[in-house]
Amino acid sequence: MSKKKLLAALSVAALLSGLTACSSTRSDSSSSSGAGASGAAGGLIGIAMPTRSLERWNNDGAHLDDLLKKAGYTTSVQFADNKVEQQITQIENMINQNPKVIVVASIDGTALSPVLKKAADAKIKIIAYDRLINGTPNVDYYATFDNYQVGKLQGEYIVKTLGLDQGKGPFNLEPFAGSPDDNNAKFFFAGAWDVLNPYVKSGKLVVPSKKAPATNDDWKSIGIQGWSSQTAQSEMDNRLNSFYAGKKVNVVLSPNDSLALGIEQSLESKGYKPGAEWPIVTGQDADLANTKNIIAGKQAMTVWKDTRSLGDQVAKMVDQIVKGEKVEVNDEKTYNNGNKVVPSYLLPPIVVTKDVVKEKLVDSGFYTADKLGL
Ligand code: BGC
């Protein structure tokens, strides 16, 4: 099939699924309270999510959808299977349905300029959700967790747990970074590396694979495309096979849970056993499988970003935009997208370790005890 035909077919498929998403509007939405009940809002809101393959985006999409419907809006929620072209087509189809706002969690934050120009021409406002969209003036707001802080928390956890400030070491470290096309990945790495690199330089952290970026800007050299668990697993297999004869790895900097999962599988397949010899593995998102691994002693920590609060904030911003009110932001300097500084709302991420799983994740209602096998 030619590229043109393929795109046309994708458009139709996306349009159909968009219509399904709209028509699946829950029947209780119009009777619930919120902006709709007050009569001031309503209308269509587009939600473009990157993929269903990662738990967090399913939760993000469902929660935001639910909030907006309760506030009286109709929604079109789309997931793009981590394919950039598919996401562009989905956004194009949303534009054709004339929504008031489109919320975009981008796959490639540099690929959306043309489609967002069309949105701007149609007077549709854009909120970048979790991931910044780069190189365009046509992104109005950004809502996310403090991405630099996510990495910093991972780095600080490693320093504290290993006792590096007490002069302990040297320890063997293997660092990983996120997807090279995701603007967040740079911030996660910078936050962690600003904390860890001084110990690499002083020799307290040794990187046997030599895959230690010299500076923050070199992070893409250890980036895992598409945040793939499988790629992280084979990369870890390679490092253990090639550089660890007669050695043990003590700590793995993993930027998120999907990478951590692959890394943990690799460790297991190479004979590491949970307990004293299992390395510290970091993560992010508090995905279910990883939270279970934390309980089982296969992952030391995760940086939890309560996606419900991100959804709450974004739903509020949507409502403020539609009503013509002042949109709440708390950072107007950090996120320069290469074209402008995008007014942002940053939420605080939280460290979760085994001893606080119940307090943070169960007591807050993020997971039931049952789901975690507690
Ligand atoms: C998100 C992370 C997520 C990663 C992979 C990042 O942009 O901020 O929470 O783990 O994408 O989907």
Side-chain angles (χ1 to χ4, degrees), residues 50-51 54 56-57 130-131 144 147 182 184-185 188 227 255-258 284-285 305:
T51 173
L54 233 83
R56 74 151 291 185
W57 301 115
D130 195 81
R131 299 172 171 171
T144 190
N147 294 309
D182 182 345
N184 286 357
F188 300 148
W227 298 94
N256 88 333
D257 279 356
S258 62
Q284 165 182 202
D285 293 333
K305 306 190 296 190

